[in-house]
Amino acid sequence: MPSEKQIVDAFEKIAADIPGYMAASLVDLESGMTLGLKSVRPDFDLAAASAYNSEMVKQKLKIMKALNLKTHLEDMLLTLGDQIHVIKLIGQTTFIYLAVDRSQCNLAIVRNVLAKNATAFSV
C-alpha cells in the first residue's frame, strides 16, 4: 500500500499532465474511505464523492455478477455538462476517482494519463 505522501505525489503528477484537473482521490472500495487526495477546488467534497462513488462501483459489480459476466470492471465514465468524472479500478480493493473540467480536457487525455500513472497506486 503506498503511503499518503506517495499517493499525493502521484496525484501531483497527474494534475500536472491533465489540463483542467479539479480533484482526485484513491478510495478503499469496501469502506468508501479516502486513502489520499488532491484537490484544486476547495468546494469539491472528495470525502463525500469518494463514499458515494464506492457505492456506485459496488452496485455495478453486483450487476455484472447477476448477469454472469465473465470479465472485469476497468473503469467507469460519468460525463456532466461541464465535467468529466472517471473511476478507475486499481486491483480489487481500491479505485481512483478523478474529476476534470470538460472545457479544458478530453477523455483520451484523462485515460492516457491515468493509465500511465496507475502503477503508483498499486496495493
Side-chain angles (χ1 to χ4, degrees), residues 54-100:
S54 70
E55 294 303 315
M56 187 171 59
V57 173
K58 286 189 268 188
Q59 290 303 313
K60 184 60 187 173
L61 292 171
K62 284 182 185 178
I63 293 166
M64 291 171 61
K65 185 175 181 178
L67 295 174
N68 199 27
L69 299 177
K70 303 294 184 206
T71 189
H72 63 280
L73 181 59
E74 290 183 17
D75 57 39
M76 298 172 73
L77 170 66
L78 302 157
T79 53
L80 308 179
D82 60 347
Q83 299 172 18
I84 298 171
H85 293 211
V86 175
I87 296 169
K88 176 157 184 61
L89 273 73
I90 306 294
Q92 295 184 348
T93 60
T94 57
F95 64 88
I96 296 170
Y97 168 61
L98 172 70
V100 301

